[in-house]
Amino acid sequence: MNRILPTVSAENLTQFETLALNSSMNLADGHARQQLTAAQAKIVAELPDMWAEAVLRPVAEIEQEAADSFFGMLGQHSHPFAAGRTLSCYSSSLAMEILARSLVTSSDAVALIHPTFDNIPDILRGVGLRLIPVEEEQAHDDDLPAELLRQVGCVFVTTPNNPTGRVMTEARLTRLAEQCAEHDVVLALDTSFRGFDPDAQFDHYTVLDGSGCRWVVIEDTGKLWPTLELKIGWLVRSANVDLPIEKIHSDILLGTSPLILLMVKRFADDGADGGLTELQRTIAENRALVRAELAGVPDIAFVDEHARTSVERLHVGSRLALDVWSAVRSHNLYVLPCQKFHWARPDEGERMLRLALSRNPSTLVTGAQVLRSALLAAPGLQS
Ligand code: EGV
């Protein structure tokens, strides 16, 4: 007999992820849950020494070193050094909240990439901002309409995007920044998945500063390393941004933990020393593993063929993603249905699931096998 599952109610993607937190087959959230590498385990073993170091040293110095190592690992060599230009937060969502509260003091609307992770639209709407969707294809392929730029105080782009993995090229970023400068619109980037894709590691800060536009970038250590939610979100801004970011940041926090900053520095130094390449290789292997386990299932497709981020979208054909989600959930496997990524038109995501790849290979293989059986048992409409 089937186990009776309680009715679920999940109002956003994170609540879907919360349902998965205690499952041994959690392919839902995009946080890193794979094993530490040997080099990373060594850093973790040295945490007590880092604690002692953090007690002794000035926090500004530690913060600067952590930022230099992290931004350097990601090719962001021109990131600003001046005080207050790179603010550390407990998480990138907190950085997002600070940005949203800052924006709403001087504008009422934001043009936001579509689809993207739903806490971005939810945070922006939460402070009262009106959102205008910008289709991913449009943002990447064409200039934005002047009509749109006249209506908004900010253009917000996630690159690489979550869940699609799509990366904005240097040429497109250059043009978008020019357009934002022309219309005096703030260009905001969320680059939380940058570490997974070398194409996203050209020096964005040179491009942004070269354009003269007002800009904000949210960077994140949180998706890369299995550090048990110990992470930093950075809120970086142009000198001319003219938003009360520092004030609002200070309303909410005095600072982040120097212990976590030291840990981030060490992980980033290891990343620059080959760890990041190793991580990219691991994700590529994990992606290949999942694709292989699902090979030959009728009426499915991997949507983002060239994606390199730590998540993978699966089109479930004529099936409904929520039906597949329920079917695998009864076997304790959790994945993420994609409707809510499509924050302006949820229907567009109703036949897609997102699978997390920052997991151990054994978890991915078992999960993919459960998913395979469920897909085969629910063939959808046969053509
Ligand atoms: C992903 C969830 C929230 C976010 C998960 C995520 N954070 N809601 N503050 O980190 O792709 O699974 O981005």
Side-chain angles (χ1 to χ4, degrees):
M1 209 179 85
N2 276 341
R3 201 153 53 91
I4 313 275
L5 293 165
T7 344
V8 293
S9 75
E11 287 179 280
N12 60 27
L13 290 166
T14 305
Q15 290 181 357
F16 272 104
E17 296 178 345
T18 303
L19 293 170
L21 283 179
N22 298 309
S23 165
S24 60
M25 277 190 292
N26 168 10
L27 302 186
D29 65 70
H31 293 201
R33 301 182 185 283
Q34 72 276 26
Q35 245 174 29
L36 293 163
T37 65
Q40 289 171 344
K42 189 160 173 286
I43 298 170
V44 169
E46 289 164 20
L47 278 169
D49 299 334
M50 283 178 238
W51 185 299
E53 183 182 344
V55 169
L56 291 175
R57 294 180 54 200
V59 68
E61 200 179 284
I62 293 173
E63 196 164 27
Q64 173 90 57
E65 283 184 10
D68 286 350
S69 289
F70 186 73
F71 287 70
M73 171 189 74
L74 297 173
Q76 305 307 301
H77 302 292
S78 311
H79 80 91
F81 292 91
R85 294 276 305 280
T86 302
L87 297 169
S88 62
C89 306
Y90 312 126
S91 72
S92 64
S93 297
L94 180 58
M96 183 73 215
E97 172 71 19
I98 293 167
L99 169 62
R101 284 186 50 187
S102 305
L103 283 170
V104 79
T105 61
S106 54
S107 63
D108 61 1
V110 173
L112 173 63
I113 192 106
H114 183 262
T116 203
F117 197 82
D118 69 350
N119 82 324
I120 297 173
D122 285 349
I123 287 171
L124 292 168
R125 284 193 283 232
V127 301
L129 288 159
R130 187 165 53 86
L131 301 183
I132 304 177
V134 178
E135 298 313 309
E136 189 180 74
E137 296 72 35
Q138 186 190 0
H140 287 266
D141 299 340
D142 304 309
D143 285 4
L144 295 187
E147 170 61 18
L148 170 70
L149 291 165
R150 275 193 293 271
Q151 290 177 58
V152 298
C154 171
V155 173
F156 191 102
V157 174
T158 314
T159 175
N161 200 8
N162 181 8
T164 67
R166 183 99 187 246
V167 174
M168 182 157 284
T169 64
E170 182 160 4
R172 271 315 305 162
L173 182 65
T174 305
R175 180 60 194 139
L176 181 59
E178 261 170 35
Q179 281 204 292
C180 287
E182 237 168 76
H183 288 84
D184 191 29
V185 163
V186 175
L187 177 55
L189 303 178
D190 176 340
T191 62
S192 293
F193 282 84
R194 181 201 294 286
F196 296 105
D197 196 331
D199 286 352
Q201 293 170 20
F202 62 88
D203 192 343
H204 286 44
Y205 296 95
T206 309
V207 173
L208 293 169
D209 273 335
S211 74
C213 78
R214 298 158 63 208
W215 57 260
V216 175
V217 180
I218 293 171
E219 306 258 0
D220 188 14
T221 75
K223 299 294 184 285
L224 292 178
W225 307 311
T227 48
L228 299 175
E229 309 297 337
L230 300 176
K231 58 192 177 182
I232 300 290
W234 266 292
L235 184 53
V236 194
R237 63 179 178 84
S238 61
N240 64 351
V241 75
D242 197 25
L243 294 173
I245 289 178
E246 274 191 87
K247 166 65 168 64
I248 293 172
H249 178 270
S250 74
D251 284 340
I252 297 175
L253 68 163
L254 174 59
T256 53
S257 161
L259 176 66
I260 297 176
L261 288 163
L262 278 177
M263 185 200 73
V264 161
K265 178 190 156 42
R266 296 286 303 276
F267 270 74
D269 288 343
D270 173 64
D273 193 28
L276 194 62
T277 310
E278 186 180 345
L279 173 63
Q280 289 160 2
R281 195 166 50 234
T282 301
I283 296 298
E285 287 166 6
N286 289 354
R287 176 170 271 115
L289 212 60
V290 167
R291 289 184 182 182
E293 288 296 332
L294 294 172
V297 173
D299 197 23
I300 63 162
F302 296 100
V303 187
D304 308 300
E305 204 189 337
H306 304 292
R308 286 191 268 193
T309 48
S310 60
V311 294
E312 172 86 335
R313 277 195 303 172
L314 176 71
H315 198 286
V316 292
S318 53
R319 307 162 186 90
L320 281 175
L322 270 176
D323 290 344
V324 180
W325 181 85
S326 299
V328 299
R329 179 171 181 257
S330 67
H331 296 275
N332 212 27
L333 168 66
Y334 287 83
V335 294
L336 206 53
C338 284
Q339 272 106 316
K340 291 174 193 288
F341 286 100
H342 297 258
W343 52 269
R345 292 180 308 279
D347 291 0
E348 291 177 5
E350 75 188 3
R351 290 171 200 281
M352 286 185 278
L353 294 171
R354 195 196 74 172
L355 312 177
L357 299 175
S358 292
R359 299 294 189 271
N360 291 327
S362 58
T363 311
L364 290 167
V365 169
T366 343
Q369 285 167 352
V370 171
L371 185 54
R372 181 185 180 90
S373 311
L375 290 165
L376 290 172
L381 302 171
Q382 292 303 298
S383 48

